[in-house]
Amino acid sequence: MSFTESSPVDLIVVENRSGCDLYDFGLQIDLRSSAGGLVFDISEGGAGASVYQPFEILEGRESVRSFSPVRDGDRIASIQFGTLEAGRRVIFMVDVDDTATDGAWGQTVIDGAEIAGTGLVLTMVGETPSTAVFLPDGQATLRISGCGPVS
């Protein structure tokens, strides 16, 4: 997975870099452990600062079965995937802001150090959940037994 600050819209990319097609899995993105105290800023005048963007699919809609509504100020997003073929990706657009007022770029621009620590959990039926955290470069890799990484 990767997080890209792309003001006004931030991008979260889920890419299947394994050699296997993945079926019926869930992914949870948990901002509560992020270094910058991040929140999803999806509506005007809410928890975030300035610009906002609803949590939406930009690319790869056919791979996503559903995702729980993300409300302004939420820190957790849960996504259910149908099929994510090997080598394919899904791109989500959203606005993520920090709650710390002393960030290097203010509250509206997130750098890698602020997304660091964001928790990720991938669940598949019959498998032990795979966990990872975003690193300061905005990257995270989840490993699936017998299949390889989902980044």
Side-chain angles (χ1 to χ4, degrees), residues 84-116:
L84 185 57
E85 296 169 345
R88 301 295 304 252
R89 68 182 186 177
V90 178
I91 301 175
F92 298 93
M93 60 182 179
V94 66
D95 183 38
V96 177
D97 289 344
D98 63 34
T99 56
T101 56
D102 59 350
W105 303 99
Q107 291 180 282
T108 59
V109 177
I110 306 303
D111 68 15
E114 293 170 310
I115 193 79

Side-chain angles (χ1 to χ4, degrees), residues 40-124:
F40 292 112
D41 181 16
I42 61 126
S43 63
E44 185 173 15
S50 186
V51 178
Y52 63 94
Q53 169 63 46
F55 197 101
E56 297 177 344
I57 302 170
L58 181 64
E59 178 185 312
R61 180 174 306 278
E62 67 281 356
S63 296
V64 178
R65 179 178 295 141
S66 65
F67 58 93
S68 301
V70 176
R71 293 178 180 81
D72 194 67
D74 279 354
R75 293 177 180 229
I76 296 177
S78 296
I79 305 155
Q80 295 298 316
F81 289 81
T83 303
L84 185 57
E85 296 169 345
R88 301 295 304 252
R89 68 182 186 177
V90 178
I91 301 175
F92 298 93
M93 60 182 179
V94 66
D95 183 38
V96 177
D97 289 344
D98 63 34
T99 56
T101 56
D102 59 350
W105 303 99
Q107 291 180 282
T108 59
V109 177
I110 306 303
D111 68 15
E114 293 170 310
I115 193 79
T118 293
L120 304 166
V121 179
L122 187 141
T123 54
M124 298 179 80

